[in-house]
Every structure is written in C-alpha cells, then in structure tokens.
Amino acid sequence: MRKLEFQDAFTVSRFLKKTKLANELKRLYQEGAKEGASVETLGTDAIFAILDVAADTGTEDMVYEFLGDIAEKKPEEIRHLSFKELKELFSDIGKENDLSDFFKLVSRQMK
C-alpha cells in the first residue's frame, strides 16, 4: 500500500463534488466527535455513506479505481473485497496517513 499523495486530493475532491458527499461526511464527523465516537465508528459511518452515495450516483468505479490505486491493486480486486477486508483497507489507510491534513487540503480545493 502506498501513502496518500497530493494527486489523491484532486481525485477525492472530484468524487466529493460529483457526489455532493462532502457535507454529509462533515456532518457525520462533527456528530461523531460530539458524541465521542471512536475512529473505527467514524470510519464505518463514512464507508456506509460512501457506499450509499456511490450506488445512487453511479460512481462506484471511481471508488474502486481510487482504492485500487492506493492499495496497489486492480479495481476488480477491490470490487471483490469482503466487508472485513474493506474495513481493514480503510483502517490501514488511516494508520499510514495523516487524514486530518489530507482532508483539510481536499476541503481547500473544493472552495
């Protein structure tokens, strides 16, 4: 697995703009932080929000391609991950990267 790079901020920004998911993720984070939710709970909530909006907007392939690029796997391999493997992938991404700084960069690009 590779670390997130500057180019990834553009990919995430395009996805969030296309799906209009940014506000929902921000709301989930703020509510979870107020309630003292664990990082795992916040991550699981985010996964479900992404799955929901990707299914509704036809952007599933963007998710497979992005995660495949980070995980250094083919999009088709990502498509067939079990939910447990998907949670582990998101967990690994969180452990390997400073997601707070990454999403600050993404949010600045979206203004």
Side-chain angles (χ1 to χ4, degrees), residues 31-47:
E31 284 181 12
K34 262 197 275 189
E35 297 170 5
S38 69
V39 172
E40 184 175 293
T41 298
L42 291 171
T44 301
D45 289 348
I47 290 170

Side-chain angles (χ1 to χ4, degrees), residues 17-33:
K17 284 179 182 179
K18 187 169 187 164
T19 61
K20 299 179 178 28
L21 183 61
N23 289 334
E24 175 64 10
L25 290 177
K26 185 176 180 179
R27 184 190 65 74
L28 286 171
Y29 174 77
Q30 288 172 340
E31 284 181 12

Side-chain angles (χ1 to χ4, degrees), residues 15 50-51 54 59-68 78 90:
F15 175 77
I50 291 166
L51 294 175
T59 54
E60 300 165 52
D61 289 338
M62 288 178 78
V63 174
Y64 300 139
E65 289 171 21
F66 177 68
L67 292 176
I78 299 298
F90 275 89

Side-chain angles (χ1 to χ4, degrees), residues 67-108:
L67 292 176
D69 189 36
I70 293 170
E72 299 176 316
K73 295 177 183 262
K74 295 179 181 175
E76 192 63 25
E77 293 175 90
I78 299 298
R79 180 184 301 269
H80 295 288
L81 290 178
S82 69
F83 190 67
K84 179 181 177 186
E85 292 169 320
L86 181 63
K87 282 178 55 177
E88 289 172 1
L89 175 59
F90 275 89
S91 177
D92 290 346
I93 291 169
K95 288 176 187 171
E96 293 293 321
N97 297 279
D98 183 343
L99 294 180
S100 178
D101 282 349
F102 178 76
F103 283 108
K104 283 178 189 173
L105 176 62
V106 169
S107 68
R108 283 188 198 123

